[in-house]
Amino acid sequence: MPDEALVVDADGHTMEPDDLWLARMDRKRWGNWIPRKVVEDDVYETYYAGGAIRGGGRELQDAMAAAVGMTPKQFHDMLQSLRVPGGHDPHARVADMDRDGIDVAVLYPSTALFFGPDDPIEAFHDVEFVLDCQRAYNDWVADYCAAHPRRLFAMAGAPLQAPDLAVVEAERAVRDLGLQGVFVRPSAYVDELPLNHSAYDPFWAACQDLDVPVAFHPGVHVDTPGACRKFRLVAESENMMVTNMAMDELHGGSGLGQAVGNTVDMIVTLGRLLMGGVCERFPRLRFLFLESGGGWIPTQLERMDEQVKAFPLEKRWLSLLPSEYFRRQCWAGFEPEEWNLAACAEWLGPERVLWASDYPHPEFHPEVVKELREAIAPLPGDAQRKVLGENAIAAYKLPL
């Protein structure tokens, strides 16, 4: 067992402080559109954004708690794990990493994941407002990482619904702030055009020129034209407490949204990039597929290969098989508890596998590294070292 290997969490999260955007955005310009969280009576959290309630609220929380036979405090406490200090305090974060045996973490946001083009709140259709929100997050997370510059790294947000602005912010975030790349949701952004449409090519080209990865990180809400919205996996609402927690016989919440929606969106994205020509056009661009499980990817790649062989007209703009593009420039994120992690590493190549703690989201649990080591125990020692940390260092080009 390679105990001396560097352990790199390829997908952890921050929990943005309540006043992040208030402290970093122009109040004269944006007024009450600026995102902010207000806590009342210790148990009622209301997240305001775009002049509307985007999460929680006393009346809604009381009604939802009563519907499931809980007190408002019991309902509030279900998400207590999200309130750990390490979500917003880098020193507490590193202490938690030391406890769990994690040497380095690459970070994604929580609230700032959700700036999609189809948000029910009209203010988020103003791309300048979205850009300012993402700039504020990028500035904050760069400061967060600067407290421990060899242990904490982060990915930047950018408004892909306006590819020209996304290019500018990607360049600023990488060159000026030192962030490691850019994340987007696995969904269409521009007029529901698929991700292999030429509308996105300036963004892919810019990231390739910057030599940084693009990470596809899903989330449960109806602000993009993805599976949660198209298949009505969750109730449609501007309030994320509704989309994530108001389940009924027709709608799920975070559970259905993540178990089904995340994977559906990622399968479509994988197909668009590999079979739709993006990897062909941008051979040096690195793509990361995160938080949607990884166990399905070998089967899907095998099927893509089979189909382009059976229907060669669909391969006429490709010089490689889909699985060959993946092995050249893509990485898959796995949770340590996935039963077929080691088998997938053998099929994909052990250098294509990343692992994620998801700290501090509900899926995170202590001893995650111990669980990971057990999952990869069937692999040779050099392959274990790759999965534990070397792959993340390569995918993100971490300066370690």
Side-chain angles (χ1 to χ4, degrees), residues 25 30-36 48-52 122-124 126 129 133:
M25 292 180 69
W30 300 119
N32 71 347
W33 282 17
I34 297 176
R36 64 200 183 280
Y48 297 93
E122 188 65 27
F124 287 105
D126 184 327
F129 174 60
C133 289

Side-chain angles (χ1 to χ4, degrees), residues 116-267:
D118 291 349
D119 199 288
I121 296 175
E122 188 65 27
F124 287 105
H125 298 180
D126 184 327
V127 293
E128 293 287 347
F129 174 60
V130 169
L131 173 62
D132 272 10
C133 289
Q134 291 177 312
R135 285 173 62 94
Y137 171 77
N138 293 341
D139 289 344
W140 174 81
V141 80
D143 289 345
Y144 179 99
C145 292
H148 294 276
R150 291 188 60 80
R151 300 196 63 183
L152 300 175
F153 299 88
M155 296 286 279
L160 191 54
Q161 54 267 59
D164 56 335
L165 296 181
V167 168
V168 172
E169 182 56 15
E171 292 173 344
R172 186 189 79 93
V174 172
R175 291 173 177 164
D176 298 345
L177 302 181
L179 301 183
Q180 297 305 125
V182 183
F183 69 83
V184 295
R185 302 266 286 288
S187 175
Y189 274 79
V190 179
D191 299 329
E192 296 201 26
L193 296 173
L195 290 173
N196 60 316
H197 192 280
S198 60
Y200 304 100
D201 281 3
F203 178 71
W204 307 137
C207 292
Q208 179 172 260
D209 290 343
L210 288 167
D211 195 22
V212 297
V214 173
F216 295 96
H217 198 298
V220 178
H221 195 38
V222 292
D223 60 321
T224 72
C228 281
R229 187 182 189 100
K230 285 187 174 295
F231 300 129
R232 300 181 181 179
L233 300 180
V234 302
E236 187 165 337
S237 172
E238 63 188 26
N239 193 311
M240 292 186 66
M241 183 177 281
V242 173
T243 56
N244 279 262
M245 300 182 73
M247 289 74 72
D248 58 32
E249 65 273 14
L250 297 179
H251 303 98
S254 293
L256 184 64
Q258 295 204 93
V260 176
N262 287 10
T263 308
V264 169
D265 288 340
M266 206 64 83
I267 290 173

Side-chain angles (χ1 to χ4, degrees), residues 81-393:
S81 67
L82 298 178
R83 303 181 184 100
V84 297
H88 57 83
D89 179 343
H91 306 297
R93 176 58 165 265
V94 166
D96 287 348
M97 290 164 59
D98 290 341
R99 176 201 65 199
D100 296 320
I102 297 171
D103 297 305
V104 176
V106 181
L107 308 177
Y108 292 81
S110 295
T111 301
L113 274 174
F114 299 98
F115 291 121
D118 291 349
D119 199 288
I121 296 175
E122 188 65 27
F124 287 105
H125 298 180
D126 184 327
V127 293
E128 293 287 347
F129 174 60
V130 169
L131 173 62
D132 272 10
C133 289
Q134 291 177 312
R135 285 173 62 94
Y137 171 77
N138 293 341
D139 289 344
W140 174 81
V141 80
D143 289 345
Y144 179 99
C145 292
H148 294 276
R150 291 188 60 80
R151 300 196 63 183
L152 300 175
F153 299 88
M155 296 286 279
L160 191 54
Q161 54 267 59
D164 56 335
L165 296 181
V167 168
V168 172
E169 182 56 15
E171 292 173 344
R172 186 189 79 93
V174 172
R175 291 173 177 164
D176 298 345
L177 302 181
L179 301 183
Q180 297 305 125
V182 183
F183 69 83
V184 295
R185 302 266 286 288
S187 175
Y189 274 79
V190 179
D191 299 329
E192 296 201 26
L193 296 173
L195 290 173
N196 60 316
H197 192 280
S198 60
Y200 304 100
D201 281 3
F203 178 71
W204 307 137
C207 292
Q208 179 172 260
D209 290 343
L210 288 167
D211 195 22
V212 297
V214 173
F216 295 96
H217 198 298
V220 178
H221 195 38
V222 292
D223 60 321
T224 72
C228 281
R229 187 182 189 100
K230 285 187 174 295
F231 300 129
R232 300 181 181 179
L233 300 180
V234 302
E236 187 165 337
S237 172
E238 63 188 26
N239 193 311
M240 292 186 66
M241 183 177 281
V242 173
T243 56
N244 279 262
M245 300 182 73
M247 289 74 72
D248 58 32
E249 65 273 14
L250 297 179
H251 303 98
S254 293
L256 184 64
Q258 295 204 93
V260 176
N262 287 10
T263 308
V264 169
D265 288 340
M266 206 64 83
I267 290 173
V268 173
T269 297
L270 188 71
R272 289 295 187 179
L273 269 59
L274 301 181
M275 298 178 69
V278 178
C279 289
E280 174 72 21
R281 299 197 300 274
F282 302 97
R284 294 182 290 106
L285 183 51
R286 306 190 299 283
F287 291 111
L288 317 182
F289 301 90
L290 304 175
E291 205 161 309
S292 54
W296 55 269
I297 291 179
T299 298
Q300 197 63 37
L301 291 175
E302 191 172 50
R303 184 158 179 77
M304 288 180 185
D305 287 356
E306 174 192 53
Q307 293 300 305
V308 297
K309 291 175 182 176
F311 301 98
L313 289 181
E314 293 199 41
K315 190 179 181 293
R316 65 188 185 277
W317 49 77
L318 307 178
S319 61
L320 300 173
L321 291 172
S323 66
E324 292 172 330
Y325 289 117
F326 191 95
R327 291 188 176 101
R328 183 181 73 185
Q329 64 193 98
C330 301
W331 284 262
F334 284 77
E335 296 177 7
E337 61 265 31
E338 293 191 55
W339 67 270
N340 58 353
L341 195 164
C344 290
E346 291 175 342
W347 195 92
L348 292 170
E351 67 279 358
R352 294 293 134 195
V353 172
L354 306 172
W355 75 274
S357 77
D358 209 33
Y359 172 103
H361 289 179
E363 295 88 341
F364 170 77
H365 48 272
E367 298 191 342
V368 64
V369 175
K370 178 177 180 290
E371 188 174 32
L372 173 65
R373 290 183 183 276
E374 292 170 352
I376 62 176
L379 298 174
D382 62 335
Q384 292 184 43
R385 283 188 290 273
K386 286 182 170 63
V387 175
L388 283 167
E390 290 176 4
N391 292 344
I393 294 171

